[in-house]
Amino acid sequence: MNIKYFAVASALLATPVIADDVSYSVGDDALTGYWAAAENPQGLVLIVHDWDGLTDYERKRADMLAEMGYDAFALDMFGDDTPTETIDHRRAATGALYQDRTRMRALLQAGVAQARERSEAEAMVVMGYCFGGAVTLEMARSDMTAQARGYATFHGGLSTPEGQSWDGDEPPLLVMHGGADTSITLQDVTGLASELEEAGNTYTIEVYSNAPHAFTVFDSDRYNARADAASWDAFTAFLANRTSE
């Protein structure tokens, strides 16, 4: 499966009712998110971007979800003035948030508020890519956890920071990981699984053979069509299950 398949499949579905950038702020910082709305939403999805910021990739995923019948909001974790052009820029942007979890959670809460302001759907699921996967798990562990019915990560960061833990009361988790990922290893996967088992969480972990880190990113050298298709199928089933209760 590739981007051409998605384009054909999308043509068979309804287009988003609304699909546009959204300006908002956290304190003095200006941010830009992306809102894609379905005509009769079955639920709401909050999308957390990768370390290169909110790009056309997240916008495409939001459009795909709206075409499937879900409202979707891709939030901004960096702000309009944060450079992301180079690897050093991206390391600085993500590193600042890893060091300031209070700020990370405030940005998440602002994104939730923007999504809730626009959607009438009650059930929300949070999903994230790479860095966004780590942020998604941060929200799941936080006092915001009950605001969503489920949390899903695609090739995301899996480590639990010092001072945090899983208590077993978090909503169900879906973790989708590439078996050939050298940035986040299979040891990281088993470490998270051990933590979740000990806490008594409900979770599913899928590992896709030969898929590298960032295996869902269209038109990149790391894109793996088979793993992308399988992970999207897993997520859409998870999403349907979590929003139908």
Side-chain angles (χ1 to χ4, degrees), residues 20-222:
D20 204 1
D21 286 343
V22 174
S23 296
Y24 63 110
S25 63
V26 173
D28 294 330
D29 296 322
L31 301 102
T32 301
Y34 181 76
W35 170 244
E39 184 173 1
N40 295 300
Q42 306 168 48
L44 169 64
V45 182
L46 188 71
I47 302 171
V48 191
H49 59 72
D50 193 357
W51 76 334
D52 54 353
L54 175 54
T55 68
D56 286 344
Y57 176 75
E58 290 80 17
R59 292 181 177 91
K60 174 61 181 176
R61 293 293 184 181
D63 287 347
M64 289 167 60
L65 288 164
E67 290 161 357
M68 291 165 50
Y70 296 93
D71 287 343
F73 183 71
L75 79 166
D76 183 358
M77 292 297 297
F78 293 162
D80 294 349
D81 295 330
T82 301
T84 57
E85 290 81 6
T86 69
I87 290 178
D88 286 343
H89 288 156
R90 296 167 191 174
R91 284 176 177 159
T94 55
L97 290 177
Y98 284 137
Q99 295 299 315
D100 189 350
R101 299 282 171 158
T102 299
R103 167 83 174 162
M104 182 185 286
R105 294 184 183 193
L107 290 162
L108 272 167
Q109 189 61 68
V112 171
Q114 290 296 317
R116 288 294 190 192
E117 181 180 317
R118 289 166 173 77
S119 180
E120 296 181 356
E122 179 181 351
M124 181 174 73
V125 168
V126 181
M127 64 186 290
Y129 294 93
C130 299
F131 161 73
V135 175
T136 296
L137 295 186
E138 178 76 18
M139 182 173 172
R141 289 187 301 266
S142 77
D143 57 5
M144 293 185 285
T145 188
Q147 296 185 33
R149 293 190 183 177
Y151 294 88
T153 78
F154 294 80
H155 40 79
L158 303 178
S159 62
T160 302
E162 185 177 354
Q164 293 189 29
S165 62
W166 298 95
D167 61 22
D169 293 330
E170 296 85 4
L173 307 172
L174 173 62
V175 175
M176 292 157 287
H177 184 78
D181 193 330
T182 57
S183 298
I184 302 156
T185 66
L186 289 174
Q187 287 72 27
D188 296 323
V189 175
T190 57
L192 175 64
S194 296
E195 292 179 42
L196 297 174
E197 276 293 322
E198 184 175 353
N201 285 84
T202 298
Y203 69 95
T204 299
I205 297 176
E206 296 211 353
V207 177
Y208 307 109
S209 61
N210 304 309
H213 188 64
F215 62 81
T216 68
V217 181
F218 307 130
D219 299 324
S220 73
D221 293 339
R222 296 180 175 185

